[in-house]
Amino acid sequence: MAILTISRQYGSGIREIRLEIARSLNYSYIDKRSLMAEIGERGPKWEKWAREFDESAPTTWEKHDWSFKVFGALLQSVMLSHCINDNVILAGRGSCFLLEGVPHAYRVRFIAPMEERVERISAWESVNRKIAENIAKKKDRERAGFVQALYGKDLNNPQFYDAIFNTAMMPADRIINVLSEALLARDRLKTEQAQNLVRLRAAAARVRAGLMIDTKLYVPTLEVLSSGSELIVRGVVRSAGQYSRISEAARYFAEDFPVKVELRFR
């Protein structure tokens, strides 16, 4: 089956939609709890930092800090690892950008008028409408800032989505039908070439996360790219020993994918 990525405004009211899609099409829904738990498998400090950084706009200092960069690498690696098996729903956290250009990925965004969002948030949080509106605006800023820091992209730009649904303009059952039909159509685009594209991106993310989490291997300029059928590791290193360690570790994390090392000396 296909892959569904969901971007949503807080309070747009999509819980029923995502649950029904997951149930009716037998999709796995990768929620915040499962993502945090998987990142936490690397160690308690990573789970702690993940909960602090998740969908929050980092400060200028945090954006360039090692901990935020590694969190981003781990998050992307975990999300892409789930996409290898498709039949998955990824919510938020810039997942649509990870799957840009993947034929069997369907990337959607949910929006709603502020008045409706305020009404829902007020009921969820047991707060008055003014506070609910402030919460909605703060969530919008935090999520946009998080995506900008991690991907350098504008979360609100419609060009990054295959469809945008206004939950005030279309009833939930209609949205569910439209999504179901679109996902079945996308499933027909799931060729071996398309699946290999996802596997290669997942491998690149796995290598990047594996190298960045180890302070002995980490270099600020590190890049791990997927190109054709191979991975390319780039960056600036200080010594032949560091070059050798990074090259060996990259091939280990890449598993069956070939790795081209293009590290340069300072």
Side-chain angles (χ1 to χ4, degrees):
M1 294 293 286
I3 302 166
L4 175 63
T5 73
I6 293 176
S7 171
R8 74 282 187 220
Q9 291 181 328
Y10 186 66
S12 54
I14 68 163
R15 185 174 186 275
E16 174 189 344
I17 295 168
R18 64 165 175 83
L19 289 177
E20 180 56 26
I21 288 291
R23 186 200 65 79
S24 61
L25 297 181
N26 195 29
Y27 270 44
S28 298
Y29 180 74
I30 310 303
D31 60 9
K32 176 176 180 175
R33 182 168 56 182
S34 59
L35 286 173
M36 297 302 104
E38 289 186 61
I39 292 175
E41 290 174 4
R42 298 295 190 115
K45 72 177 180 181
W46 293 113
E47 184 172 7
K48 175 180 176 293
W49 281 338
R51 294 188 184 281
E52 290 178 3
F53 290 135
D54 185 50
E55 292 197 306
S56 296
T59 64
T60 301
W61 181 85
E62 287 173 335
K63 184 169 65 174
H64 299 288
D65 185 64
W66 172 72
S67 58
F68 179 79
K69 289 183 177 181
V70 178
F71 158 68
L74 288 172
L75 177 66
Q76 292 170 349
S77 179
V78 169
M79 289 196 293
L80 282 168
S81 70
H82 285 284
C83 294
I84 293 173
N85 299 320
D86 51 66
N87 280 56
V88 66
I89 300 173
L90 296 176
R93 297 161 186 89
S95 52
C96 65
F97 304 112
L98 288 178
L99 295 167
E100 189 171 357
V102 173
H104 59 293
Y106 194 59
R107 304 176 302 155
V108 303
R109 179 159 170 80
F110 291 95
I111 62 174
M114 181 59 77
E115 311 86 71
E116 293 206 4
R117 296 171 62 197
V118 165
E119 186 175 339
R120 290 192 185 98
I121 295 168
S122 181
W124 295 344
E125 307 280 358
S126 298
V127 296
N128 63 40
R129 295 181 64 84
K130 182 60 178 177
I131 294 176
E133 183 176 351
N134 289 338
I135 291 172
K137 291 178 178 178
K138 183 175 186 294
K139 287 283 188 180
D140 289 346
R141 291 193 302 271
E142 292 288 339
R143 288 176 175 177
F146 176 81
V147 165
Q148 182 64 43
L150 203 56
Y151 300 93
K153 301 287 181 69
D154 179 4
L155 176 68
N156 298 302
N157 190 330
Q159 76 176 52
F160 296 122
Y161 305 101
D162 298 303
I164 297 176
F165 296 96
N166 186 327
T167 56
M169 303 295 292
M170 187 182 292
D173 58 350
R174 176 61 180 150
I175 293 175
I176 291 167
N177 288 337
V178 171
L179 279 177
S180 298
E181 291 173 6
L183 289 169
L184 291 172
R186 287 295 165 117
D187 184 50
R188 294 193 283 273
L189 302 178
K190 191 185 70 174
T191 63
E192 185 63 27
Q193 182 179 9
Q195 289 178 293
N196 283 336
L197 176 61
V198 175
R199 295 186 191 108
L200 191 65
R201 288 190 189 180
R206 184 172 62 246
V207 171
R208 182 168 174 261
L211 295 176
M212 291 185 73
I213 201 171
D214 188 337
T215 54
K216 295 179 181 178
L217 301 174
Y218 173 73
V219 292
T221 55
L222 179 71
E223 287 185 294
V224 183
L225 311 173
S226 55
S227 176
S229 60
E230 67 178 3
L231 303 178
I232 301 174
V233 178
R234 292 175 178 162
V236 179
V237 296
R238 296 184 300 274
S239 66
Q242 189 179 38
Y243 184 108
S244 178
R245 289 192 297 272
I246 291 174
S247 300
E248 182 179 350
R251 293 189 170 94
Y252 170 78
F253 291 121
E255 298 177 358
D256 297 329
F257 288 96
V259 177
K260 182 178 181 182
V261 178
E262 296 183 351
L263 297 170
R264 297 183 294 108
F265 290 99
R266 188 187 299 276

